[in-house]
Amino acid sequence: MRFRVHTLFAAIAALLPALAIPMGLSASPAAANEVVVGGTLTTTQQAPWVVALSSRARFGSARSGQFCGAVAVGPRTVVTAAHCVGTEALGVSDWHQLPDLRVIAGRTDLGGSAGEELQLSGIWVDPDYDQSTNAYDVAVITLAQPLQDASAIPLAQSSDTADYQAGTPAEVYGWGDTTGRGGYPSTLHTAQVGILADSACEAAYPGGSSGTYEASSMVCAGVDGGGKDACQGDSGGPLVVAGRLVGLVSWGNGCALDGFPGVYTRVSAVADLIAQHM
Ligand code: 4AZ
């Protein structure tokens, strides 16, 4: 997916300018009036299932090495976006080659050392994940130790159709860009958005250079007129409806732009597979 590639590069470019600049990238910054998440501060006490993926070796130590979000769904299981653990994000073809890859729980402020950092024992990537469309953008991480500073959130199931009705209020969480211009906060943010009709994302992302929305594995969320959205660095983190995990931050054209909603992995479509890998 072109946008995903561009936005991921934008995130890496912000964090690793020495790496990205020689590649000649012109990651298109979002318009200055965008306030991503248009969100507010929250804490991992209020949202104890929100965790961070980290590698200081690849992303620097200033913000505990955070580069993606993830979600605790069991004592030793977190889910994230497949694109967060792919070669392009990690810079290696096998995560074992990034020995300081960690899941961080209980750390609202990435500038501090609260909470815990856990090693991984395995990563399962949905075999249906398609790098070019971002379909089935989900991975299951198994931890080497159980989480103590996080608690699991239930997965939306295929029977939870009401959670996916257009107009349903939803919250997105993350440590990603709050400005659309590479402004990374150190503290966890949340924004109130709403589930949008599939037709809204089908219109915004009909294929070609703007990307392809596929309702079978994706769900559309945002607000009318833009202004509240997930952004770079939020990928893999949760979209929550009524206390259930309904989506994972996946992709979109820019951040918080009017007419370009956020696209999330549809958790109900992969809940059975996730459960099989817990
Ligand atoms: C990203 O690259 C990304 N506005 C995440 C979410 C959105 C766009 C890009 C949605 O991580």
Side-chain angles (χ1 to χ4, degrees):
M1 161 68 47
R2 284 182 69 194
F3 283 110
R4 186 186 63 76
V5 169
H6 282 177
T7 52
L8 185 56
F9 272 138
I12 293 172
L15 298 165
L16 282 185
L19 176 77
I21 287 165
M23 299 169 85
L25 297 169
S26 58
S28 44
N33 64 352
E34 288 175 18
V35 182
V36 171
V37 219
T40 56
L41 294 173
T42 188
T43 67
T44 57
Q45 283 71 42
Q46 289 175 270
W49 15 263
V50 184
V51 298
L53 298 187
S54 137
S55 167
R56 293 174 177 82
R58 179 148 174 83
F59 297 97
S61 57
R63 298 168 60 262
S64 294
Q66 187 272 346
F67 66 96
C68 266
V71 195
V73 298
R76 281 181 51 163
T77 312
V78 308
V79 296
T80 189
H83 82 257
C84 285
V85 294
T87 300
E88 191 186 314
L90 301 184
V92 291
S93 56
D94 179 336
W95 66 270
H96 291 97
Q97 297 171 289
L98 198 60
D100 78 339
L101 185 59
R102 296 286 185 276
V103 168
I104 301 182
R107 188 171 300 169
T108 297
D109 182 352
L110 297 170
S113 58
E116 58 187 345
E117 303 197 5
L118 296 168
Q119 291 186 243
L120 285 59
S121 62
I123 301 180
W124 173 84
V125 174
D126 191 321
D128 287 332
Y129 170 55
D130 183 336
Q131 282 192 54
S132 62
T133 63
N134 262 331
Y136 295 95
D137 191 9
V138 59
V140 178
I141 292 172
T142 304
L143 301 169
Q145 263 86 46
L147 289 158
Q148 297 190 304
D149 295 331
S151 55
I153 187 171
L155 302 172
Q157 305 294 318
S158 50
S159 55
D160 291 324
T161 52
D163 291 351
Y164 292 92
Q165 292 304 306
T168 305
E171 301 90 46
V172 60
Y173 295 83
W175 288 270
D177 188 349
T178 58
T179 66
R181 287 168 279 122
Y184 292 89
S186 69
T187 53
L188 183 61
H189 282 64
T190 185
Q192 182 88 52
V193 294
I195 302 293
L196 298 177
D198 291 324
S199 57
C201 274
E202 284 161 357
Y205 307 115
S209 64
S210 63
T212 309
Y213 180 80
E214 293 176 5
S216 51
S217 73
M218 302 174 191
V219 58
C220 187
V223 292
D224 278 350
K228 292 187 188 187
D229 195 8
C231 198
Q232 290 88 343
D234 291 321
S235 277
L239 181 72
V240 175
V241 167
R244 284 182 290 275
L245 182 67
V246 301
L248 300 172
V249 177
S250 181
W251 63 280
N253 175 21
C255 303
L257 295 174
D258 188 13
F260 292 99
V263 184
Y264 297 78
T265 312
R266 186 180 291 265
V267 167
S268 62
V270 292
D272 289 349
L273 267 177
I274 292 171
Q276 281 170 31
H277 290 272
M278 295 180 63

